[in-house]
Amino acid sequence: MTEPTGRRVTANLSLTLDGRYHGPAGPADMGAILPYATTEAARRHLSRIWAGATTAVLGRRNAEGFLGFWPTVAADENADPRDRGYAQWLVDVEKVVFSTTLADAPWERARLVNAPAADVVAELKTAAGGDILVNSSASVIKPLLAADLLDRLYLMVCPEIAGGGPRLFDDGLPSSKWRLTGHETGELGETAMVYDRVR
């Protein structure tokens, strides 16, 4: 087996105070998170997550949803430069999309995979490149947490309780220690945090 190259595996996700990444009505129930997505703190956080990343990893739902939004931002000269920078990076970067149902990759410079996330990411770590960013896809982040493959977490905690919906940190994860390496609180009480895995 090829040895890892030292590439970091990072992940970003927004959560409510009760640890949910969407509300009880399903993936479209983002009412407790969306009001905080375009604050100054959120935009600075967005700029941090992709700096140094050369591979984006996405679940199918996010890959399809992002395709309908971010390319238009990349082309919009009036968009916030931080949003536009991220959008252009996402359009241009190598993308790995997890799906059991898609026949064709939904983006250019994207490839589909139907395999365990831990196996795919472990293989990505053997290739040359910068950070591997798991981009807002809890379906991929969760198995990587379970396999202890994440090196950095970019979390945005929104000051609302959703009262239902899936949580990122399920019972049964292996114990691990993390060091807070960055944090910022925004004007609405949202908190952007960067945690690095202590190994």
Side-chain angles (χ1 to χ4, degrees):
M1 179 177 166
T2 309
E3 289 297 313
T5 58
R7 300 180 78 182
R8 288 188 308 184
V9 182
T10 68
N12 74 292
L13 200 61
S14 294
L15 302 172
T16 60
L17 278 179
D18 52 343
R20 321 284 182 166
Y21 50 89
H22 64 68
D29 186 358
M30 300 294 287
I33 290 173
L34 283 179
Y36 310 94
T38 57
T39 66
E40 288 298 300
R43 284 191 160 120
R44 285 190 289 269
H45 190 61
L46 183 67
S47 297
R48 285 189 287 271
I49 68 170
W50 61 272
T54 58
T55 303
V57 176
L58 298 154
R60 176 197 57 81
R61 182 176 284 118
N62 275 354
E64 291 181 321
F66 286 6
L67 180 60
F69 180 73
W70 288 110
T72 60
V73 175
D76 182 357
E77 294 180 1
N78 297 315
D80 185 285
R82 294 161 295 188
D83 295 349
R84 197 168 181 205
Y86 168 75
Q88 193 61 58
W89 170 82
L90 192 56
V91 168
D92 293 341
V93 77
E94 171 199 21
K95 289 168 284 291
V96 177
V97 177
F98 283 86
S99 176
T100 59
T101 58
L102 292 177
D104 298 304
W107 288 68
E108 292 182 11
R109 288 173 289 284
R111 66 182 172 96
L112 293 174
V113 293
N114 179 5
D119 294 348
V120 172
V121 169
E123 184 63 30
L124 286 171
K125 283 177 67 76
T126 68
D131 290 350
I132 301 160
L133 171 64
V134 185
N135 208 348
S136 295
S137 297
S139 64
V140 181
I141 297 171
K142 285 182 169 194
L144 296 182
L145 281 169
D148 196 17
L149 281 173
L150 288 178
D151 302 303
R152 171 170 282 186
L153 282 170
Y154 295 98
L155 299 177
M156 174 70 76
V157 176
C158 305
E160 297 194 22
I161 291 174
R167 287 191 168 101
L168 176 61
F169 301 107
D170 292 327
D171 288 346
L173 289 174
S175 61
S176 58
K177 184 175 181 179
W178 298 78
R179 180 175 63 252
L180 182 68
T181 54
H183 66 91
E184 177 181 2
T185 301
E187 63 269 21
L188 300 178
E190 72 282 12
T191 303
M193 295 174 287
V194 182
Y195 282 100
D196 286 336
R197 177 74 170 90
V198 176
R199 298 193 186 277

